[in-house]
Amino acid sequence: MILVVGGAGYIGSHMLKLLRDENEEHIVFDNFEQGHRDALLGSPSFQGDLRNPNDLLRVFEKHPDIDVVMHFAAYISVGESVREPSKYWHNNTAGVLNLVDAMRFAKVNKLVFSSTAAIFGEPQYVPIDEEHPKSPTSPYGQTKLAVEKMLSDFDRGYGLNAVCLRYFNAAGADPSGQIGEDHEPEEHLIPVAILAALGKRPAMKVFGTDYDTVDGTCVRDYVHILDLAKAHLLAVRHLRSGGESRHYNLGNGKGFSVRQVLDTTEKVIGMPVPREDGPRRPGDPATLIASSEKISRDWGWKPEYPDLETIVSHAWEWHRGHPEGYGDHPDDVVVSRK
Ligand code: UFG
């Protein structure tokens, strides 16, 4: 059985869809602070918080057949992490320490961990491969890099096998339109653009037009959420067949500027995206493009949806059916910090 920590979030809920399709037995662990119960679509869940070690002990006690853990339960806003680093270190790093300790007590030694391109910081070259120097420019990136290092120590000390998947820009949604991206507050480019076009928020700001890129706006590598989910499944198979710890970068290997994404969005949704040029957002590197050669070589991973129009049209499918998002109100959770 797979324990999906943070399964009610954007990436986690797409993972659940794939696990259901593959008949993989699983249980979600989520505090529902940011995640949505409606995103579970029938997957079973256990309400708990990573920052409370007892919650973790209880879930492993209740489900002694858990053999693999996937972790998606991080705070992900780069800007917020600068303003509130404590929140990020408690959840993103100390929370994972609680998780791997609980795994150790439960004798579970397989983990798939959501890492990020943010661990690399300002790129020294692109595409960014796994060997690229790691020098995060935000507390968010620091917390994820710290976990990668912690997992190496747990591997050496306790035999924990962990696959760290470093996502570039996760985007799109399940083509069914049933689940999608709904963050509070929403800060990611594609949903922000769609919500501005729908009149659900004011004209969006283009953060910086003087970068050394094709049109002066930042270039990013947008990778379909289902392609990310598939990489997790490959990681589970690797770990279950006795595979050792690995690190992989996950992207399409192709970059698009902010303006190119906005133009594609307008074309796909057939509406203008109200936008204004604004200043640079602190901490944004000019260009981030992944090299995913290693995971394609090792496991044959290949994006099924590399095309930006497809990625945007799947995101659109979700938003036009759910202009208010999931419409639920995340629970008021009392988080105990021990
Ligand atoms: N952007 C705008 N206006 C907006 C929102 C975004 O111009 O309203 C721009 C950003 O400046 C950036 C690009 O659109 O150049 C993409 O921004 P996102 O916020 O969608 O994504 P980021 O590239 O900042 O961050 C994403 C993840 C992070 C992860 C990072 C790693 O959200 O968690 O990729 O590459 F760390």
Side-chain angles (χ1 to χ4, degrees):
M1 177 186 274
I2 302 175
L3 178 68
V4 187
V5 179
Y10 171 46
I11 304 180
S13 60
H14 285 81
M15 189 69 236
L16 300 183
K17 164 90 171 44
L18 189 56
L19 294 178
R20 287 191 302 272
D21 289 351
E22 297 281 323
N23 290 318
E24 277 285 357
E25 211 191 340
H26 59 278
I27 173 90
V28 172
F29 179 97
D30 206 296
N31 65 5
F32 297 102
E33 178 192 336
Q34 309 244 321
H36 306 275
R37 289 184 193 278
D38 287 350
L40 299 178
L41 295 182
S43 285
S45 68
F46 178 103
Q47 184 160 1
D49 195 292
L50 277 183
R51 290 160 290 196
N52 186 350
N54 286 332
D55 289 353
L56 287 160
L57 295 178
R58 275 183 26 239
V59 78
F60 282 107
E61 230 167 63
K62 199 166 168 210
H63 300 282
D65 43 350
I66 293 169
D67 68 325
V68 184
V69 176
M70 291 179 177
H71 171 277
F72 299 99
Y75 292 125
I76 56 161
S77 169
V78 171
E80 184 189 51
S81 77
V82 177
R83 296 188 301 275
E84 287 193 62
S86 172
K87 174 174 170 177
Y88 279 70
W89 281 98
H90 273 291
N91 184 65
N92 292 9
T93 306
V96 182
L97 177 57
N98 290 338
L99 175 65
V100 286
D101 268 342
M103 288 173 64
R104 196 153 58 90
F105 297 135
K107 305 205 176 341
V108 176
N109 74 340
K110 301 174 183 62
L111 173 70
V112 187
F113 174 69
S114 299
S115 190
T116 169
I119 65 166
F120 295 109
E122 194 62 48
Q124 296 183 10
Y125 57 85
V126 286
I128 298 173
D129 57 21
E130 286 75 6
E131 307 318 315
H132 186 285
K134 286 138 201 103
S135 182
T137 50
S138 67
Y140 168 68
Q142 297 281 18
T143 61
K144 290 285 184 174
L145 183 56
V147 171
E148 287 204 5
K149 291 179 179 172
M150 176 165 81
L151 297 179
S152 301
D153 289 347
F154 270 60
D155 184 350
R156 260 197 310 276
Y158 309 118
L160 174 75
N161 293 320
V163 174
C164 296
L165 298 175
R166 299 159 177 163
Y167 315 146
F168 281 60
N169 286 62
D174 187 66
S176 69
Q178 285 182 299
I179 48 175
E181 190 166 6
D182 182 7
H183 293 114
E184 185 50 46
E186 189 54 79
E187 294 181 341
H188 291 119
L189 180 61
I190 295 172
V192 163
I194 292 176
L195 292 170
L198 287 172
K200 297 287 171 197
R201 56 194 291 157
M204 58 161 300
K205 285 253 174 347
V206 174
F207 295 140
T209 53
D210 58 349
Y211 287 98
D212 183 16
T213 59
V214 57
D215 58 17
T217 64
C218 288
V219 169
R220 293 287 181 273
D221 183 336
Y222 297 87
V223 55
H224 199 291
I225 189 91
L226 287 181
D227 288 325
L228 293 182
K230 280 185 192 139
H232 287 72
L233 212 51
L234 296 173
V236 169
R237 291 188 183 135
H238 165 80
L239 292 170
R240 281 187 172 153
S241 66
E244 75 288 14
S245 294
R246 299 271 176 93
H247 299 82
Y248 291 112
N249 294 358
L250 283 179
N252 275 313
K254 197 162 178 240
F256 292 94
S257 73
V258 172
R259 285 202 177 118
Q260 287 168 339
V261 172
L262 297 181
D263 292 347
T264 303
T265 304
E266 290 185 336
K267 187 173 156 206
V268 167
I269 72 179
M271 285 190 273
V273 173
R275 48 175 128 160
E276 291 162 6
D277 290 346
R280 292 183 176 200
R281 185 172 66 176
D284 269 347
T287 301
L288 287 175
I289 299 173
S291 162
S292 298
E293 265 178 37
K294 188 175 164 204
I295 192 168
S296 358
R297 211 173 40 237
D298 288 358
W299 294 346
W301 180 79
K302 197 171 169 290
E304 192 182 330
Y305 305 106
D307 173 54
L308 183 62
E309 270 192 37
T310 310
I311 292 174
V312 174
S313 68
H314 290 171
W316 172 229
E317 209 48 56
W318 154 255
H319 283 285
R320 76 169 168 178
H322 301 81
E324 308 297 336
Y326 283 100
D328 57 359
H329 299 283
D331 297 0
D332 285 331
V333 267
V334 180
V335 172
S336 75
R337 295 206 172 78
K338 298 213 166 165

